[in-house]
């Protein structure tokens, strides 16, 4: 046990060292200390809330990671996925219809407490990123760099939900989907490692024959998912389902990938080598995963108050400012906030 703890500390130290060497805000308007003076207790608030929820339900970590990915991959990391109601991205029967309530409620609680301490200062988008970072670390994963200062979108983008990569697609289509979001093939392999914990609903697990899946696992899934209910789930990583580690990649080498999109990583010529590397080297996986997470959380970020806001309620769409006049002779825009 002591040896395992020492090894974990060494991995975290190495990841932090690599992340530190890559530090420096990549997006204008974002910075690590964005709330240092305007909301100095923010990270304490986030950590306390995440710790309390994680201690009661460790499944909140993969649930937060899924929310963050689904948010960033549509129109950017702008908390649009959190908006509820008609015309939202939480379309019943769609990929966001099964986002876990425990994680959504946690984000709301953190934001409400931050609002009480620092009214209309902290965005829902930044809360989502910080909560995911802290929960991932508590689950044994790497701690990734986070720059802050994102604004929330005024509206959701339900028309872009279908841009989310499908678990039914192979590596070719996922490579193209990631490329469209300026993420590399290596980012695809790294971020797919998020499936090292959490669960999937039976409805999104495509039936596969023994050539592409371990026969014993295929038989188990036939029994579990023959008549799935809305709540029937299956662990994504059958080796160590509740720990963030590299066993997901080891499972792929044994044909135990739950999604076709997962299993195809070990077969595709552009993804196979890195997936095999991660299956043998957890430190390499953690370093690349942390780098890819930082990169993902900087996609489509809003920093202009003409394009976004700090929502008072994460679940309620905002109201864009009214542009009074904008001509070539103007110094700028006048907005009615």
């Amino acid at each position: 046990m002591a040896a395992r703890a020492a090894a974990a500390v060494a991995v975290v130290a190495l990841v932090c060292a690599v992340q530190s060497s890559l530090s420096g805000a990549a997006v204008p308007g974002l910075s690590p200390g964005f709330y240092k003076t305007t909301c100095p207790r923010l990270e304490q608030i986030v950590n306390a809330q995440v710790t309390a929820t994680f201690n009661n339900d460790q499944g909140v970590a993969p649930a937060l990671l899924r929310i963050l990915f689904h948010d960033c991959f549509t129109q950017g990391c702008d908390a649009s996925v959190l908006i509820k109601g008609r015309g939202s991205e939480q379309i019943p029967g769609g990929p966001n219809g099964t986002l876990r309530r425990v994680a959504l409620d946690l984000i709301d609680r953190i934001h409400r407490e931050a609002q009480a301490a620092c009214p209309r200062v902290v965005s829902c988008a930044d809360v989502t990123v910080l909560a995911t970072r802290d929960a991932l670390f508590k689950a044994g994963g790497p701690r990734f760099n986070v720059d802050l200062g994102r604004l929330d979108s005024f509206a959701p983008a339900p028309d872009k939900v279908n841009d989310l990569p499908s678990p039914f697609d192979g590596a070719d289509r996922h490579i193209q989907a990631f490329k469209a979001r300026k993420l590399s093939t290596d980012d695809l392999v790294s971020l797919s490692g998020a499936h090292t914990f959490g669960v999937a609903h039976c409805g999104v697990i495509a039936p596969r024959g023994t050539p592409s899946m371990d026969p014993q696992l295929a038989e188990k899934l036939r029994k579990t998912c023959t008549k799935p209910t809305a709540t029937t789930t299956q662990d994504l990583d059958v080796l160590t389902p509740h720990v963030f580690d590299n066993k997901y990649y080891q499972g792929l080498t044994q044909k135990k990938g739950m999604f076709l999109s997962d299993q195809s990583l070990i077969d595709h010529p552009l993804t196979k080598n890195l997936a095999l590397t991660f299956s043998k080297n957890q430190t390499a996986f953690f370093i690349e995963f942390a780098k890819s997470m930082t990169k993902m959380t900087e996609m489509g970020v809003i920093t202009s108050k003409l394009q976004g806001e700090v929502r008072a309620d994460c679940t309620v769409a905002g109201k864009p400012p009214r542009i009074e006049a904008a001509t070539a002779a103007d110094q700028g825009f006048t907005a009615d906030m």
Side-chain angles (χ1 to χ4, degrees):
M1 184 67 74
R4 181 186 297 176
V9 170
V11 169
V12 170
L14 181 55
V15 171
C16 289
V18 171
Q19 287 277 284
S20 179
S21 70
L22 298 171
S23 62
V27 179
L30 300 188
S31 67
F34 187 84
Y35 298 109
K36 185 175 182 180
T37 57
T38 56
C39 199
R41 290 189 54 247
L42 174 60
E43 298 216 18
Q44 292 175 264
I45 292 170
V46 173
N47 187 261
Q49 288 281 4
V50 169
T51 299
T53 304
F54 183 83
N55 288 344
N56 185 58
D57 183 353
Q58 294 185 15
V60 74
L64 283 167
L65 199 52
R66 183 168 181 244
I67 289 170
L68 180 61
F69 180 82
H70 283 216
D71 184 42
C72 295
F73 216 88
T74 49
Q75 64 178 3
C77 304
D78 59 5
S80 61
V81 75
L82 304 179
I83 296 171
K84 293 194 292 189
R86 186 176 180 180
S88 77
E89 294 174 24
Q90 295 183 33
I91 304 166
N96 294 330
T98 54
L99 297 178
R100 286 197 64 201
R101 193 76 254 160
V102 65
L104 293 168
D105 289 346
L106 172 60
I107 292 169
D108 276 347
R109 284 198 304 276
I110 294 170
H111 189 253
R112 285 198 302 270
E113 187 174 347
Q115 284 278 65
C118 326
R120 297 305 289 264
V121 169
V122 180
S123 69
C124 302
D126 278 344
V127 166
T128 304
V129 172
L130 286 171
T132 303
R133 180 200 65 181
D134 287 6
L136 174 68
F137 187 66
K138 291 183 186 302
R143 189 176 178 88
F144 58 93
N145 277 350
V146 169
D147 288 331
L148 302 170
R150 296 165 188 78
L151 291 176
D152 303 319
S153 63
F154 290 121
D159 56 313
K160 295 186 178 181
V161 171
N162 288 332
D163 291 343
L164 287 167
S166 168
F168 303 115
D169 291 336
D172 275 324
R173 292 194 67 173
H174 277 226
I175 288 170
Q176 292 305 312
F178 272 62
K179 183 179 179 180
R181 302 300 283 129
K182 294 183 170 56
L183 293 173
S184 69
T185 301
D186 285 358
D187 291 323
L188 164 62
V189 180
S190 301
L191 292 172
S192 294
H195 289 168
T196 193
F197 60 178
V199 298
H201 288 77
C202 280
V204 295
I205 301 174
R208 303 209 304 280
T210 52
S212 62
M213 180 177 277
D214 172 74
Q216 290 183 327
L217 177 58
E219 179 60 27
K220 178 186 176 183
L221 288 177
R222 273 193 287 272
K223 293 177 180 178
T224 302
C225 296
T226 298
K227 295 181 180 180
T229 67
T231 58
T232 307
T233 59
Q234 166 64 42
D235 292 326
L236 284 169
D237 177 356
V238 297
L239 300 180
T240 53
H242 307 298
V243 180
F244 194 94
D245 56 20
N246 68 331
K247 296 298 189 295
Y248 158 82
Y249 298 99
Q250 293 180 18
L252 300 185
T253 68
Q254 301 168 25
K255 295 187 177 181
K256 293 180 179 178
M258 201 55 56
F259 295 148
L260 176 61
S261 58
D262 291 326
Q263 191 58 48
S264 66
L265 295 177
I266 209 72
D267 300 321
H268 196 283
L270 296 180
T271 57
K272 179 177 182 178
N273 288 342
L274 189 57
L276 286 173
T277 296
F278 289 164
S279 75
K280 301 170 186 174
N281 189 331
Q282 180 165 289
T283 300
F285 164 48
F286 275 25
I287 289 172
E288 294 305 316
F289 184 83
K291 287 162 56 178
S292 293
M293 282 296 294
T294 297
K295 187 175 176 181
M296 183 186 79
T297 59
E298 294 171 349
M299 294 194 314
V301 168
I302 301 170
T303 57
S304 167
K305 289 186 178 180
L306 292 176
Q307 298 175 315
E309 65 172 352
V310 172
R311 282 187 216 135
D313 183 336
C314 292
T315 67
V316 179
K319 186 176 182 181
R322 187 173 75 251
I323 307 304
E324 301 288 353
T327 66
D330 287 339
Q331 292 288 323
F333 297 96
T334 302
D336 177 10
M337 300 298 286

